Amino acid sequence: MKFSIGLATIVSALAVMSAPIHLNDKREVGGILTCTGVNATGTCHYEVYKMNQCYELPKPYYQNINTFAPDGEHFACYPRVTGCKDICRSPTGCTFGAVDFNYEHKFNLGAIKWNTLFKSFDCALKKKPTSSAPPPTTATTATTTATATIEPICDKST
C-alpha cells in the first residue's frame, strides 16, 4: 500500500515537472469585460479589442451597460455617447474620460449615469513617462515620540 502511494506521488511530480511552463507568456493587451449588470452580473462578454479602433456596443450592451472593466495592462478606453461614425456636437465632449483597470466605477457605470448613454468606445496604450523628467521630490515628515511613566498599582506596604 505504501509503495503504491509513493509511486503515485512520484508519477504525479514527474508529470508536473514535465509540463511546459511559460513564465514569459502575457495576456494580449485590450481585454475588456462588459456586463449589463453591476459588479460583473447580468449578461457578460469578454473580448480582446485592438487599440486605436472604434467599437460600437452590440445588443444587449448598447445603452445598457453597467460593467466596463478593462484588464490590468497599460491601456485605457474612452466610452462615448455617440456611434463610431457620428460627429460629437456636445460642447462638453462625448466621453467622460479614460477608463482603465484602476477606474473607480468600472463595475458600476450607473453611479455616474453612463449605463444608459454608452454607445461606442476606443482604446489606446497609455503613454510611458519620459526619462527626461526631473526626479520626484520627497517629502519629509516629523516623527514624535511619546514616553509614559508606569506607576505600580499595588502597595507593597500592606
Side-chain angles (χ1 to χ4, degrees):
M1 180 74 172
K2 289 182 182 181
F3 176 75
S4 56
I5 291 173
L7 183 61
T9 302
I10 291 170
V11 169
S12 295
L14 288 173
V16 169
M17 290 187 328
S18 66
I21 298 174
H22 303 286
L23 297 177
N24 294 327
D25 287 354
K26 292 184 177 182
R27 294 186 297 198
E28 290 184 62
V29 174
I32 302 169
L33 175 67
T34 55
C35 299
T36 56
V38 297
N39 298 321
T41 60
T43 303
C44 292
H45 176 74
Y46 177 86
E47 188 171 335
V48 175
Y49 296 90
K50 292 181 181 176
M51 298 292 107
N52 303 310
Q53 183 174 328
C54 187
Y55 293 91
E56 302 231 354
L57 292 174
K59 289 183 180 183
Y61 309 102
Y62 186 84
Q63 293 184 309
N64 182 34
I65 186 168
N66 276 288
T67 298
F68 185 77
D71 285 345
E73 288 82 22
H74 201 67
F75 75 102
C77 300
Y78 298 86
R80 295 194 208 118
V81 295
T82 59
C84 291
K85 295 180 181 179
D86 297 337
I87 296 171
C88 177
R89 299 187 189 283
S90 171
T92 58
C94 294
T95 183
F96 63 83
V99 176
D100 65 5
F101 179 76
N102 297 312
Y103 181 65
E104 178 183 8
H105 299 294
K106 69 182 180 181
F107 289 110
N108 185 6
L109 293 178
I112 58 167
K113 309 290 189 235
W114 263 71
N115 54 324
T116 60
L117 300 174
F118 197 158
K119 294 181 181 179
S120 67
F121 68 96
D122 65 318
C123 302
L125 293 174
K126 292 181 181 178
K127 293 181 181 177
K128 294 181 181 179
T130 60
S131 60
S132 62
T137 58
T138 56
T140 58
T141 58
T143 305
T144 305
T145 305
T147 58
T149 305
I150 301 175
E151 299 291 331
I153 22 181
C154 60
D155 186 352
K156 294 183 182 180
S157 62
T158 57

